[in-house]
Amino acid sequence: MSFYDTYLQYKNFDFKIFFKSITENKIKNILAKERINQLDFLTLLSEKASGFLEDMALKSHNLTTNNFGKTILLFIPIYISDYCSNSCLYCGFSAKNKIKRRHLDYDQIKTEAKKIAETGIKHILLLTGDAPKIATIDYIKNSVKILKKYFTGIGIEIYALTEHEYAILINEGVDSLSIYQETYNEKLYEKLHPIGHKKDYRFRLNAPERACMAKIRSVNIGALLGLDEWQKDAFFTGLHADYLQNKYMDAEVSVSLPRIRPHAGNFKVSHPVDDKKFIQIMTAFRIFMPRAGIAVSTREAPQFRNNIIKLGVTKMSAGSNTSVGGYALHNTDTKQFDISDTRSVKEMEKAITKLDYQPVFKDWQTL
Ligand code: SF4
């Protein structure tokens, strides 16, 4: 059994008919419940539920403060290699994009790490493109060894690994994994990932579970909002997170809600997610999974990020740079995507405090 079996149960589900059957009373009943089920969650993603956004926001706020207090964990990404053998149609690092590629050596990683550490942030997210022959497991492992000297929590956002490979990195000090399915729509996934080993839908889908089996502390999953109909991808993301949380009780499960941003190449977003829909997804998810983390990156604009702090977010990236060597080495010519919130860590800290929330720089210590 894997999450793929859950996916199959809903793969041919008639979302249109389901959404048509929703009444206002049904939504009110769901919002009055203490725990909601999978179809209640889908109901909160409906067009009709968008008329109850204020009630959803209030409930989401209360559930979040009950479970997390008024805190926002800050983390920062470090891109160490942007070589990639895949050509995901929506990504600036696609093998088809003629961009200057970089692969940091260990001294350069140390230089970048030192610079990032000056911000005071203790949680770092290490990213590479999908080129296992260049950004090898050994290379990533040695990079983690360097990062450990400067940070207490080390996450990875790299290509999908086997359970054994996850175990190697976890033993070295990696404590969290971020991996996005991009879209749960298997057919569309095939189209968007024409070459490379990311093409294997099921291998990617089961990656968070393999990391859980290898005893990772925390997993963060998500879909790239804008690729498919947002209600479907948001629903499957929730089901996936729920599946992992129920099966791997020791793991801390989070979701990210990335929306597609401009990048190298000319990908057209076919299902744009506006701010209202974004908030509906976030609050519905919170009501469905009160104890799960919700991460929002610097893809989102500063004012919008400020506005949603009280609505359910628990983690935010800050002071981010999406170029390989973009901090101390000042490489900014090739980015994975354009950042929208360019505020420094200090500025984010101020903005969070101003809202009477506490910015958290450290909540984990890798031994
Ligand atoms: S999304 Fe990842 S795998 Fe796909 S092209 Fe970009 S870096 Fe490569």
Side-chain angles (χ1 to χ4, degrees):
M1 280 288 279
S2 73
F3 178 67
Y4 189 65
D5 299 288
T6 313
Y7 171 72
L8 289 182
Q9 281 171 28
Y10 283 101
K11 192 178 171 185
N12 297 317
F13 185 79
D14 198 329
F15 286 83
K16 265 195 191 140
I17 298 250
F18 179 80
F19 286 142
K20 256 195 190 158
S21 72
I22 294 170
T23 61
E24 294 198 346
N25 266 344
K26 206 172 197 173
I27 296 165
K28 283 180 193 160
N29 287 339
I30 290 171
L31 289 174
K33 285 186 183 178
E34 218 163 275
R35 285 305 316 264
I36 68 168
N37 63 31
Q38 294 178 345
L39 289 180
D40 292 340
F41 171 50
L42 184 58
T43 304
L44 294 183
L45 293 169
S46 65
E47 183 71 44
K48 213 165 229 133
S50 66
F52 290 80
L53 214 47
E54 275 190 30
D55 303 273
M56 287 172 66
L58 182 63
K59 187 159 175 130
S60 173
H61 167 79
N62 290 338
L63 287 169
T64 310
T65 48
N66 286 347
N67 285 290
F68 294 87
K70 292 165 86 177
T71 61
I72 301 288
L73 177 71
L74 294 177
F75 67 95
I76 194 161
I78 178 170
Y79 285 73
I80 61 169
S81 180
D82 59 14
Y83 284 84
C84 191
S85 49
N86 294 328
S87 68
C88 312
L89 301 189
Y90 47 81
C91 177
F93 287 169
S94 158
K96 293 228 167 101
N97 288 341
K98 301 265 171 286
I99 55 168
K100 186 170 170 44
R101 308 262 169 188
R102 290 194 172 88
H103 178 80
L104 300 186
D105 62 31
Y106 298 130
D107 281 342
Q108 290 173 318
I109 292 173
K110 192 171 167 188
T111 307
E112 287 280 283
K114 264 189 184 169
K115 180 79 184 168
I116 296 169
E118 285 171 12
T119 63
I121 285 193
K122 290 293 180 190
H123 289 261
I124 194 153
L125 179 64
L126 176 157
L127 295 99
T128 68
D130 191 333
K133 289 194 180 138
I134 298 173
T136 61
I137 295 294
D138 248 14
Y139 169 72
I140 296 167
K141 187 176 136 185
N142 291 332
S143 306
V144 169
K145 228 180 237 173
I146 296 166
L147 296 179
K148 255 189 342 196
K149 294 186 188 138
Y150 302 92
F151 305 96
T152 62
I154 299 167
I156 47 169
E157 189 177 327
I158 60 173
Y159 48 92
L161 304 182
T162 62
E163 183 185 339
H164 175 66
E165 289 167 329
Y166 281 128
I168 292 173
L169 297 182
I170 292 164
N171 284 340
E172 196 52 60
V174 166
D175 73 293
S176 72
L177 166 73
S178 287
I179 189 156
Y180 306 138
Q181 188 59 24
E182 321 295 12
T183 178
Y184 285 84
N185 178 335
E186 200 171 359
K187 257 202 177 146
L188 176 65
Y189 184 94
E190 218 173 277
K191 270 194 211 151
L192 294 171
H193 305 96
I195 57 164
H197 86 298
K198 189 167 172 182
K199 206 174 160 38
D200 188 337
Y201 175 90
R202 283 177 70 171
F203 188 70
R204 189 160 183 97
L205 188 74
N206 292 330
E209 174 148 24
R210 290 193 297 276
C212 287
M213 293 191 306
K215 303 264 178 278
I216 194 118
R217 181 182 75 89
S218 160
V219 281
N220 181 37
I221 60 166
L224 187 54
L225 299 171
L227 295 179
D228 193 18
E229 291 166 48
W230 62 276
Q231 281 133 323
K232 291 184 186 172
D233 267 338
F235 179 57
F236 283 115
T237 304
L239 293 190
H240 198 175
D242 188 46
Y243 167 89
L244 292 169
Q245 190 163 79
N246 291 334
K247 194 161 172 186
Y248 300 96
M249 305 242 198
D250 289 349
E252 176 194 290
V253 177
S254 306
V255 296
S256 279
L257 306 170
R259 288 193 276 192
I260 301 182
R261 293 279 308 148
H263 59 78
N266 52 2
F267 182 72
K268 194 177 165 308
V269 181
S270 45
H271 300 278
V273 171
D274 61 22
D275 290 355
K276 205 175 159 198
K277 287 175 188 148
F278 183 102
I279 290 171
Q280 188 175 352
I281 295 170
M282 189 176 77
T283 54
F285 178 76
R286 166 59 67 230
I287 296 168
F288 181 48
M289 293 190 67
R291 290 184 301 107
I294 298 181
V296 176
S297 76
T298 51
R299 286 169 184 265
E300 300 302 332
Q303 192 53 50
F304 183 67
R305 293 221 305 167
N306 286 353
N307 292 344
I308 59 172
I309 281 179
K310 294 188 174 178
L311 302 185
V313 188
T314 59
K315 306 178 193 188
M316 280 182 159
S317 50
S320 305
N321 192 302
T322 63
S323 299
V324 173
Y327 298 99
L329 304 171
H330 306 297
N331 297 332
T332 50
D333 47 352
T334 310
K335 306 174 196 138
Q336 190 184 27
F337 57 86
D338 288 343
I339 280 168
S340 187
D341 187 346
T342 56
R343 287 176 291 181
S344 67
V345 173
K346 270 257 161 313
E347 287 168 321
M348 269 308 290
E349 192 183 351
K350 255 194 201 159
I352 294 169
T353 313
K354 205 170 161 196
L355 290 165
D356 202 21
Y357 273 60
Q358 187 192 350
V360 176
F361 281 57
K362 174 183 173 182
D363 80 345
W364 183 254
Q365 173 80 52
T366 297
L367 297 173

